[in-house]
Amino acid sequence: MYIYMFAGVGGEIMEKPIPLNENVLQKHAAFFDKNQDGVIYPYETYQGLREIGSGILTSIGLALFINLALSQSTRPGKFPSLLLPIEIKNIKLGKHGSDTGTYDSEGRFVPSKFEEIFSKHAHTHPNALTYDELKEMIKSNRQPKDLRGRIGSSVEWKILYNLAKDKNGLLQKETIRGVYDGSLFERLKKEHSAHKKK
């Protein structure tokens, strides 16, 4: 069974089928594994964030925040490392609460949960979220006594909004879909690179 992902690259909309049993959370994380060794260090997280258009100070802060939050949970049974590595093969163990549920516990894409984002919160446009609708969604997903998940969810969605909203201030459905398998990161990287050359 497949779900179709849409990734606009250079204005072109492309379809690519993604098997529902595939761990798309690993694909999402793999963008930041710059040397493709299966481990993401803070400097790689920083590089990836810069490539998609995040500012220098924001990228430094986020790289430390992300690696600090995910390092130990993706390295079960291992002694904590000051290098803060994230192991992609175990990225599902870093999944936090207070989220949309679009990734299941194995890191697979859940189409029904993805569609719920829009059926419940896209009041103005059926296939996009305004900033206020995004905040409403984040708030509605909060779980009691889940400070870590609440912070993680809020940071992730607000960063996504700042980097990927369109000229009308909307976060489009296909843009959000692309973040789940990491294809959005490649698109933002190309757009940011083209913008720097101008």
Side-chain angles (χ1 to χ4, degrees):
M1 192 170 188
Y2 290 82
I3 182 71
Y4 284 88
M5 308 290 281
F6 298 88
V9 179
E12 180 182 337
I13 301 293
M14 299 175 351
E15 277 187 27
K16 76 174 178 175
I18 291 192
L20 293 182
N21 63 352
E22 189 173 286
N23 189 322
V24 290
L25 182 54
Q26 287 181 349
K27 285 185 166 190
H28 168 97
F31 172 81
F32 297 92
D33 182 13
K34 295 306 170 186
N35 60 4
Q36 299 179 349
D37 65 351
V39 181
I40 306 168
Y41 291 95
Y43 69 88
E44 292 177 294
T45 307
Y46 169 82
Q47 286 176 315
L49 289 165
R50 292 290 292 139
E51 286 176 349
I52 62 175
S54 182
I56 293 172
L57 292 178
T58 301
S59 296
I60 291 170
L62 282 173
L64 291 173
F65 174 79
I66 291 166
N67 283 69
L68 192 60
L70 297 177
S71 179
Q72 197 52 43
S73 60
T74 63
R75 303 173 69 246
K78 295 183 180 177
F79 196 74
S81 170
L82 294 175
L83 298 177
L84 302 177
I86 297 170
E87 293 188 8
I88 294 176
K89 68 180 180 181
N90 297 323
I91 194 67
K92 67 182 183 182
L93 301 176
K95 187 176 176 300
H96 60 75
S98 298
D99 65 359
T100 62
T102 303
Y103 289 130
D104 70 9
S105 60
E106 295 299 312
R108 295 171 299 212
F109 185 77
V110 182
S112 60
K113 289 292 185 181
F114 176 74
E115 293 299 331
E116 268 184 28
I117 294 172
F118 301 91
S119 63
K120 288 183 176 179
H121 306 290
H123 310 300
T124 313
H125 305 276
N127 293 313
L129 297 176
T130 65
Y131 186 66
D132 287 340
E133 291 166 352
L134 183 69
K135 288 195 301 183
E136 172 194 291
M137 181 196 72
I138 294 168
K139 187 175 180 181
S140 74
N141 288 328
R142 288 180 184 165
Q143 295 171 355
K145 299 179 183 177
D146 180 30
L147 184 61
R148 179 178 175 266
R150 288 180 179 201
I151 292 170
S153 183
S154 183
V155 168
E156 289 167 356
W157 282 103
K158 288 177 181 177
I159 292 294
L160 175 63
Y161 181 83
N162 287 332
L163 291 174
K165 67 181 182 289
D166 67 16
K167 62 184 180 182
N168 298 313
L170 298 172
L171 201 53
Q172 296 289 338
K173 186 174 187 176
E174 55 269 22
T175 299
I176 296 173
R177 195 189 310 259
V179 83
Y180 282 105
D181 74 337
S183 62
L184 175 67
F185 299 141
E186 290 296 339
R187 190 191 94 189
L188 290 175
K189 178 180 174 180
K190 288 177 183 175
E191 289 176 359
H192 186 62
S193 178
H195 181 69
K196 284 200 309 187
K197 289 176 183 176
K198 289 181 180 178

